[in-house]
Amino acid sequence: MERRRTAILISGRGSNMSALAAAAMEPDYPAEISLVVSNRPDAAGLVRAREMGIAIDVVDHKAFGDKAAFEAALTATLERAGTEIVCLAGFMRLLSEDFVHRWHDRLINIHPSLLPAFTGLNTHVRALDAGVKLHGCTVHYVRAAMDNGPIIGQAAVPVLPGDTPEALGDRVLAAEHQLYPRALALVAREEVRVVDELVRFSTPPAKPPGMLLSIG
Ligand code: GAR
């Protein structure tokens, strides 16, 4: 089986990167993690990636005069590694239209909310403030607008009485670690494609999800 060469872009802790890398260690997983790139030299995820035996690189945005130069270096790094798919995993730089266009429908992101609700930062605080009863995470193809683009998959978790942002965030993060490897597998196997800016499945998912009811 041909495994799709996948790069992961991180800015910090890299727990989603670790989840993807762990999934890719399975022999029948359709993607291989060929490179982890951070825009921050001190990202903890770089250490973890190295421990897992994955090639790492740093493209420090602070070393470039403008976004175009930073992104040109990023693309050169990705191309050198023969990258076919790019996964954003806690990569906290907004990417330009040019970069997004260069990797059109080969660039995916995970966001800690049920999009289109709560784009941007502090999603768990905002979910609690809004009083929603379900929260979760989304994997989507990246478009130039922040946290926007055709949705590949979502995982929902209940908001529980007495939740703090930290407790809710931990519950969502555990769901992220389940969702992202499944979504990348769909993309790598070309079981999904974008039609009219919506994600279509070539074969329906094996098990239709049941209802997740959360009251209280
Ligand atoms: C994750 O919760 C991810 O969904 C979020 O950053 C965290 C990174 O954690 N991404 C965004 O907010 C993107 N808008 P990690 O470094 O442990 O994977």
Side-chain angles (χ1 to χ4, degrees):
M1 181 191 54
E2 192 76 27
R3 283 147 60 86
R4 307 292 300 279
R5 291 181 68 79
T6 301
I8 305 176
L9 304 190
I10 64 169
S11 297
R13 146 186 82 172
S15 71
N16 277 289
M17 177 277 298
S18 298
L20 292 171
M25 282 172 184
E26 295 300 322
D28 59 347
Y29 195 75
E32 66 172 296
I33 309 305
S34 38
L35 180 66
V36 170
V37 185
S38 174
N39 66 304
R40 297 179 52 125
D42 59 350
L46 286 173
V47 178
R48 183 78 191 109
R50 201 189 292 118
E51 282 168 2
M52 295 178 93
I54 302 167
I56 60 171
D57 213 332
V58 173
V59 182
D60 184 351
H61 63 278
K62 292 196 184 123
F64 297 89
D66 57 21
K67 186 191 279 256
F70 164 63
E71 290 184 350
L74 200 52
T75 286
T77 301
L78 295 171
E79 283 175 346
R80 259 198 316 274
T83 303
E84 297 172 276
I85 298 171
V86 181
C87 293
L88 306 183
F91 182 72
M92 301 313 244
R93 305 298 300 172
L94 208 50
L95 294 163
S96 73
E97 190 136 14
D98 275 356
F99 186 90
V100 170
H101 183 72
R102 165 69 185 77
W103 297 97
H104 190 73
D105 289 353
R106 299 192 296 137
L107 175 62
I108 64 178
N109 179 46
I110 188 155
H111 180 73
S113 77
L114 295 172
L115 291 174
F118 311 125
T119 58
L121 298 174
N122 302 319
T123 56
H124 311 313
V125 172
R126 288 156 60 213
L128 289 174
D129 286 350
V132 296
K133 302 300 179 208
L134 289 170
H135 186 41
C137 52
T138 302
V139 175
H140 62 96
Y141 287 102
V142 174
R143 297 294 182 256
M146 182 182 60
D147 301 325
N148 195 281
I151 291 171
I152 300 165
Q154 295 185 306
V157 302
V159 179
L160 300 178
D163 257 348
T164 59
E166 292 72 29
L168 180 56
D170 286 349
R171 197 173 307 123
V172 171
L173 192 65
E176 293 184 44
H177 298 162
Q178 299 283 316
L179 176 67
Y180 211 174
R182 292 189 198 194
L184 173 60
L186 289 173
V187 172
R189 285 200 193 96
E190 297 183 5
E191 286 175 355
V192 285
R193 65 198 166 96
V194 180
V195 180
D196 297 335
E197 287 301 90
L198 292 175
V199 169
R200 303 281 180 218
F201 290 78
S202 53
T203 47
K207 185 164 149 266
M211 179 171 64
L212 179 50
L213 181 67
S214 181
I215 301 175

Short mmCIF file of all heavy atoms in Angstrom, two decimals, residues 10-17 89-92 109-112 120-121 123-124 137 146-147 172-173 176-177, ligand 1:
data_model
loop_
_atom_site.label_atom_id
_atom_site.label_comp_id
_atom_site.label_asym_id
_atom_site.label_seq_id
_atom_site.Cartn_x
_atom_site.Cartn_y
_atom_site.Cartn_z
N ILE A 10 3.00 22.37 13.71
CA ILE A 10 2.64 22.59 15.12
C ILE A 10 3.20 23.94 15.59
O ILE A 10 4.08 24.51 14.94
CB ILE A 10 3.17 21.47 16.04
CG1 ILE A 10 4.71 21.44 16.04
CG2 ILE A 10 2.63 20.11 15.61
CD1 ILE A 10 5.32 20.54 17.11
N SER A 11 2.68 24.38 16.73
CA SER A 11 3.27 25.56 17.39
C SER A 11 3.57 25.29 18.85
O SER A 11 4.21 26.12 19.50
CB SER A 11 2.31 26.76 17.31
OG SER A 11 2.08 27.15 15.99
N GLY A 12 3.08 24.18 19.40
CA GLY A 12 3.19 23.99 20.85
C GLY A 12 3.35 22.56 21.27
O GLY A 12 4.21 21.83 20.77
N ARG A 13 2.43 22.15 22.14
CA ARG A 13 2.56 20.87 22.85
C ARG A 13 2.54 19.65 21.94
O ARG A 13 3.21 18.66 22.17
CB ARG A 13 1.42 20.89 23.87
CG ARG A 13 0.75 19.65 24.23
CD ARG A 13 -0.42 20.00 25.13
NE ARG A 13 -1.58 20.41 24.33
CZ ARG A 13 -2.78 20.62 24.83
NH1 ARG A 13 -2.98 20.54 26.12
NH2 ARG A 13 -3.78 20.94 24.04
N GLY A 14 1.74 19.69 20.90
CA GLY A 14 1.79 18.62 19.90
C GLY A 14 1.10 17.33 20.28
O GLY A 14 1.45 16.26 19.79
N SER A 15 0.05 17.41 21.11
CA SER A 15 -0.62 16.15 21.47
C SER A 15 -1.40 15.57 20.28
O SER A 15 -1.47 14.35 20.12
CB SER A 15 -1.54 16.33 22.69
OG SER A 15 -2.68 17.08 22.37
N ASN A 16 -1.96 16.43 19.44
CA ASN A 16 -2.62 15.90 18.24
C ASN A 16 -1.60 15.32 17.27
O ASN A 16 -1.87 14.30 16.62
CB ASN A 16 -3.45 17.00 17.56
CG ASN A 16 -4.80 17.15 18.19
OD1 ASN A 16 -5.67 16.29 18.04
ND2 ASN A 16 -5.00 18.23 18.94
N MET A 17 -0.44 15.97 17.16
CA MET A 17 0.64 15.41 16.34
C MET A 17 1.00 14.01 16.82
O MET A 17 1.14 13.08 16.01
CB MET A 17 1.85 16.35 16.42
CG MET A 17 3.09 15.90 15.69
SD MET A 17 4.09 14.74 16.63
CE MET A 17 4.54 15.74 18.05
N ALA A 89 -1.90 21.12 13.36
CA ALA A 89 -2.23 20.54 14.66
C ALA A 89 -1.77 21.50 15.75
O ALA A 89 -0.64 21.42 16.22
CB ALA A 89 -1.57 19.17 14.81
N GLY A 90 -2.64 22.46 16.06
CA GLY A 90 -2.25 23.49 17.01
C GLY A 90 -1.22 24.42 16.41
O GLY A 90 -0.35 24.92 17.11
N PHE A 91 -1.33 24.67 15.11
CA PHE A 91 -0.43 25.61 14.42
C PHE A 91 -1.10 26.98 14.48
O PHE A 91 -2.16 27.17 13.88
CB PHE A 91 -0.21 25.16 12.97
CG PHE A 91 0.74 26.03 12.20
CD1 PHE A 91 2.10 25.98 12.47
CD2 PHE A 91 0.29 26.88 11.20
CE1 PHE A 91 3.00 26.78 11.75
CE2 PHE A 91 1.16 27.67 10.48
CZ PHE A 91 2.52 27.62 10.76
N MET A 92 -0.50 27.90 15.23
CA MET A 92 -1.21 29.12 15.59
C MET A 92 -0.81 30.34 14.75
O MET A 92 -0.77 31.45 15.26
CB MET A 92 -1.05 29.39 17.09
CG MET A 92 -1.57 28.26 17.96
SD MET A 92 -3.21 27.66 17.47
CE MET A 92 -4.17 28.08 18.90
N ASN A 109 -7.15 20.90 9.10
CA ASN A 109 -6.93 21.51 10.41
C ASN A 109 -7.87 20.88 11.43
O ASN A 109 -8.95 20.42 11.07
CB ASN A 109 -7.24 23.01 10.33
CG ASN A 109 -7.07 23.73 11.66
OD1 ASN A 109 -6.06 23.53 12.35
ND2 ASN A 109 -8.03 24.55 12.03
N ILE A 110 -7.42 20.87 12.70
CA ILE A 110 -8.35 20.51 13.77
C ILE A 110 -8.59 21.74 14.63
O ILE A 110 -7.66 22.50 14.92
CB ILE A 110 -7.86 19.32 14.61
CG1 ILE A 110 -8.97 18.88 15.57
CG2 ILE A 110 -6.56 19.62 15.36
CD1 ILE A 110 -8.88 17.43 16.01
N HIS A 111 -9.87 21.92 14.98
CA HIS A 111 -10.25 23.08 15.77
C HIS A 111 -11.10 22.60 16.95
O HIS A 111 -11.99 21.76 16.77
CB HIS A 111 -11.03 24.08 14.91
CG HIS A 111 -11.44 25.29 15.68
ND1 HIS A 111 -10.54 26.26 16.06
CD2 HIS A 111 -12.64 25.66 16.20
CE1 HIS A 111 -11.19 27.19 16.75
NE2 HIS A 111 -12.45 26.85 16.85
N PRO A 112 -10.85 23.17 18.15
CA PRO A 112 -11.56 22.66 19.33
C PRO A 112 -12.94 23.26 19.55
O PRO A 112 -13.22 23.86 20.60
CB PRO A 112 -10.60 23.01 20.48
CG PRO A 112 -9.91 24.25 20.01
CD PRO A 112 -9.80 24.13 18.51
N GLY A 120 -11.77 30.75 16.35
CA GLY A 120 -10.83 31.57 17.12
C GLY A 120 -10.37 30.92 18.40
O GLY A 120 -10.36 29.70 18.53
N LEU A 121 -9.98 31.76 19.36
CA LEU A 121 -9.33 31.29 20.58
C LEU A 121 -10.33 31.10 21.73
O LEU A 121 -11.49 31.52 21.63
CB LEU A 121 -8.24 32.29 21.01
CG LEU A 121 -7.10 32.49 20.00
CD1 LEU A 121 -6.17 33.62 20.46
CD2 LEU A 121 -6.32 31.20 19.80
N THR A 123 -12.04 28.68 23.03
CA THR A 123 -13.33 28.09 22.65
C THR A 123 -14.05 27.47 23.85
O THR A 123 -15.27 27.49 23.91
CB THR A 123 -13.13 27.01 21.57
OG1 THR A 123 -12.20 26.04 22.06
CG2 THR A 123 -12.60 27.61 20.28
N HIS A 124 -13.29 26.91 24.81
CA HIS A 124 -13.95 26.22 25.92
C HIS A 124 -14.60 27.22 26.88
O HIS A 124 -15.72 27.00 27.35
CB HIS A 124 -12.96 25.31 26.64
CG HIS A 124 -12.18 24.43 25.69
ND1 HIS A 124 -12.80 23.71 24.68
CD2 HIS A 124 -10.86 24.20 25.55
CE1 HIS A 124 -11.89 23.06 23.99
NE2 HIS A 124 -10.70 23.35 24.49
N CYS A 137 -15.11 19.05 18.68
CA CYS A 137 -14.01 19.43 17.80
C CYS A 137 -14.37 19.10 16.36
O CYS A 137 -15.27 18.28 16.10
CB CYS A 137 -12.73 18.71 18.22
SG CYS A 137 -12.90 16.94 18.40
N MET A 146 -10.23 32.19 8.83
CA MET A 146 -9.79 31.40 9.99
C MET A 146 -10.83 30.37 10.43
O MET A 146 -12.02 30.68 10.52
CB MET A 146 -9.53 32.37 11.16
CG MET A 146 -9.03 31.69 12.40
SD MET A 146 -8.82 32.88 13.74
CE MET A 146 -10.46 33.50 13.94
N ASP A 147 -10.35 29.15 10.72
CA ASP A 147 -11.20 28.07 11.22
C ASP A 147 -12.43 27.88 10.33
O ASP A 147 -13.57 27.76 10.81
CB ASP A 147 -11.60 28.32 12.68
CG ASP A 147 -10.39 28.44 13.58
OD1 ASP A 147 -9.40 27.72 13.33
OD2 ASP A 147 -10.41 29.25 14.51
N VAL A 172 -12.62 17.51 25.42
CA VAL A 172 -12.57 17.78 23.97
C VAL A 172 -11.25 17.25 23.39
O VAL A 172 -11.25 16.63 22.32
CB VAL A 172 -12.73 19.29 23.67
CG1 VAL A 172 -12.47 19.57 22.19
CG2 VAL A 172 -14.13 19.76 24.06
N LEU A 173 -10.15 17.46 24.11
CA LEU A 173 -8.85 17.04 23.58
C LEU A 173 -8.81 15.52 23.38
O LEU A 173 -8.28 15.04 22.36
CB LEU A 173 -7.72 17.48 24.52
CG LEU A 173 -6.30 17.35 23.95
CD1 LEU A 173 -6.09 18.28 22.74
CD2 LEU A 173 -5.25 17.64 25.02
N GLU A 176 -10.44 14.95 20.25
CA GLU A 176 -9.59 15.36 19.12
C GLU A 176 -8.64 14.22 18.73
O GLU A 176 -8.43 13.95 17.54
CB GLU A 176 -8.76 16.59 19.49
CG GLU A 176 -9.57 17.85 19.71
CD GLU A 176 -8.70 19.08 19.98
OE1 GLU A 176 -7.68 19.26 19.29
OE2 GLU A 176 -9.03 19.85 20.89
N HIS A 177 -8.10 13.58 19.77
CA HIS A 177 -7.11 12.51 19.50
C HIS A 177 -7.75 11.30 18.82
O HIS A 177 -7.06 10.53 18.16
CB HIS A 177 -6.43 12.10 20.81
CG HIS A 177 -5.66 13.23 21.44
ND1 HIS A 177 -5.27 13.24 22.75
CD2 HIS A 177 -5.22 14.41 20.90
CE1 HIS A 177 -4.62 14.37 23.01
NE2 HIS A 177 -4.58 15.09 21.90
C1 GAR B 1 -5.77 21.71 20.08
O1 GAR B 1 -6.84 21.75 21.00
C2 GAR B 1 -6.24 22.19 18.71
O2 GAR B 1 -7.55 21.81 18.41
C3 GAR B 1 -6.12 23.69 18.87
O3 GAR B 1 -4.92 23.88 19.55
C4 GAR B 1 -4.71 22.75 20.41
C5 GAR B 1 -3.32 22.23 20.15
O4 GAR B 1 -2.99 21.22 21.07
N1 GAR B 1 -6.14 24.35 17.59
C6 GAR B 1 -6.72 25.54 17.38
O5 GAR B 1 -7.25 26.20 18.26
C7 GAR B 1 -6.70 26.01 15.94
N2 GAR B 1 -7.64 27.07 15.73
P1 GAR B 1 -1.84 20.19 20.73
O6 GAR B 1 -0.61 21.03 20.37
O7 GAR B 1 -1.65 19.43 22.00
O8 GAR B 1 -2.30 19.33 19.59
#
